Amino acid sequence: MLALLQRIKDSNITLKGDLGFVNDWRYFSLGDFTPSEPSAEHDQLTTTGPYAGTLSAFAAGTKLRTRYLDLLSSPSLTKPVTFWASDCNRVIETARYFATGFFGLDWDSKDAAKLHIVPETPDLGGNTLTPGDTCLKYREDMQTGHDYGLIQLTKFCSTYLPSISARFQTQNPGMRFTDGEIYSMQEMCGFETLVRGTSPWCNAFTHEDWLNFEYARDVIHYYRAGPGNRFGPVMGGLWLNGTAKLMAEGPVAGSLFFSFVHDGDIIPMLAALDLFPSNDLLPVTYRSKSRTWRMSQVVPMNGRIILERLACPSTSKVSTTNTDERVAPRKHFIRVNINDGIVALPTCSSGPGASCPLEDFLALVQRREKEIGDFSEACGLESDKPGGITFLHQ
């Protein structure tokens, strides 16, 4: 985007029409309180505007503190509560702001919680929060590995970006924009809105343009680390298996577990759980309006996925004698909460509130593990590398 802005400036052309605002527009990270070099703020947690990452993370912590206050106040809660973040500055800062909202301002000094940072390095094998960094074959396969998402994205973008470029060129005959430049303009709408609250880039595109952009984001996630990538489910299986063990153990393992990662590391877990199944692969020659895979609703900025272990009283009674009855043990269920919305597992939702009976959930995880394969084998890990997550415990 910076290169595009420089090219426009060097052209000495006064833009008109939908892009007329660019003549007086300043890159959003340039200001009195920001570095003179815009790239210095790239990949950092946003700190200004109504949608600031700092504010969103703190608000999320406060909201979940309210929802799970009984767990936080439980006498059996192990303190300090360990939580995890992958080793990226904005991810770590997100975790810290969340912790301030959830545990309180002095969570670190009073040992209410302890942040454990997990390196984003390839040597960790399966004991990682970022399997895309440790799955060797995924990183090395230029056709069906990580880059497969970009390949498929490019194919779909070719179906709608040229018409936008033609529209802009008609308004500005002296300028010609590439598909990549048009796509970066659409991205700028969201990025600037996060920092400033609004963005004139948003008004440069039609409603149809935005529907296509939303679908483009679905495509890249689907084929980069989701169900459309052969490595996606097996990478997500790491987190799924680790979490399933905690769910099976129950409160004895701990009451609260929080992990903070990139959106690209959440996507494989969705694939492992097969949360948004489809009979066909996501098409890239047109926009599928009937798709179930809509990532704008699942991994927006500050998106979160929660697995809850519910303990519900049994509705039946167990008779011990003709005159004595005792209440049957409580039953346990697993419920999936995505951004404050309950999402039923496709093959298991017979429990209260679209939840899944614990024993059925564990059976589902075992079945999926067989279907998606072994992480070490699929990723070509060396024999001395761990094949699964071991740090996830209190």
Side-chain angles (χ1 to χ4, degrees), residues 318-326:
V318 178
S319 177
T320 55
T321 68
N322 291 334
T323 59
D324 181 33
E325 288 185 344
R326 62 180 175 85

Side-chain angles (χ1 to χ4, degrees), residues 153-234:
L153 172 68
T154 302
K155 291 178 181 178
F156 175 71
C157 283
S158 69
T159 69
Y160 85 97
L161 290 178
S163 64
I164 300 176
S165 180
R167 184 171 79 235
F168 289 166
Q169 188 175 1
T170 298
Q171 298 169 352
N172 302 276
M175 288 294 296
R176 182 185 296 272
F177 300 103
T178 67
D179 285 0
E181 289 172 337
I182 299 296
Y183 189 78
S184 69
M185 293 179 194
Q186 289 195 288
E187 288 186 311
M188 187 57 63
C189 163
F191 291 141
E192 185 179 21
T193 298
L194 283 174
V195 175
R196 288 178 169 166
T198 61
S199 173
W201 291 100
C202 302
N203 296 325
F205 301 92
T206 67
H207 180 68
E208 186 70 12
D209 294 338
W210 286 120
L211 291 177
N212 283 322
F213 179 76
E214 177 192 37
Y215 188 76
R217 299 301 300 171
D218 291 344
V219 166
I220 190 170
H221 280 307
Y222 186 86
Y223 287 104
R224 184 169 62 187
N229 189 297
R230 68 188 182 96
F231 295 101
V234 74

Side-chain angles (χ1 to χ4, degrees), residues 24-192:
D24 302 313
W25 184 79
R26 295 181 67 195
Y27 190 81
F28 62 80
S29 74
L30 292 179
D32 295 337
F33 304 102
T34 56
S36 58
E37 174 54 50
S39 61
E41 288 194 347
H42 290 179
D43 294 325
Q44 302 301 311
L45 188 65
T46 56
T47 59
T48 60
Y51 311 112
T54 52
L55 177 62
S56 298
F58 177 81
T62 303
K63 177 182 289 187
L64 295 190
R65 177 186 178 89
T66 304
R67 182 182 301 165
Y68 301 117
L69 186 59
D70 57 331
L71 297 179
L72 184 59
S73 306
S74 173
S76 62
L77 182 68
T78 301
K79 292 186 178 181
V81 175
T82 300
F83 62 112
W84 300 265
S86 63
D87 193 7
C88 170
N89 185 66
R90 70 176 181 275
V91 176
I92 295 171
E93 288 301 300
T94 298
R96 291 186 179 279
Y97 277 94
F98 174 90
T100 301
F102 190 86
F103 297 107
L105 287 172
D106 51 0
W107 62 269
D108 197 6
S109 61
K110 288 193 174 180
D111 288 333
K114 181 179 181 180
L115 176 60
H116 178 67
I117 298 173
V118 182
E120 298 184 354
T121 53
D123 59 293
L124 294 184
N127 195 29
T128 180
L129 285 175
T130 52
D133 294 320
T134 66
C135 184
L136 300 180
K137 289 185 178 180
Y138 174 70
R139 292 189 294 113
E140 295 171 353
D141 189 333
M142 297 293 102
Q143 295 301 314
T144 62
H146 176 274
D147 291 350
Y148 189 40
L150 183 59
I151 292 171
Q152 296 296 83
L153 172 68
T154 302
K155 291 178 181 178
F156 175 71
C157 283
S158 69
T159 69
Y160 85 97
L161 290 178
S163 64
I164 300 176
S165 180
R167 184 171 79 235
F168 289 166
Q169 188 175 1
T170 298
Q171 298 169 352
N172 302 276
M175 288 294 296
R176 182 185 296 272
F177 300 103
T178 67
D179 285 0
E181 289 172 337
I182 299 296
Y183 189 78
S184 69
M185 293 179 194
Q186 289 195 288
E187 288 186 311
M188 187 57 63
C189 163
F191 291 141
E192 185 179 21

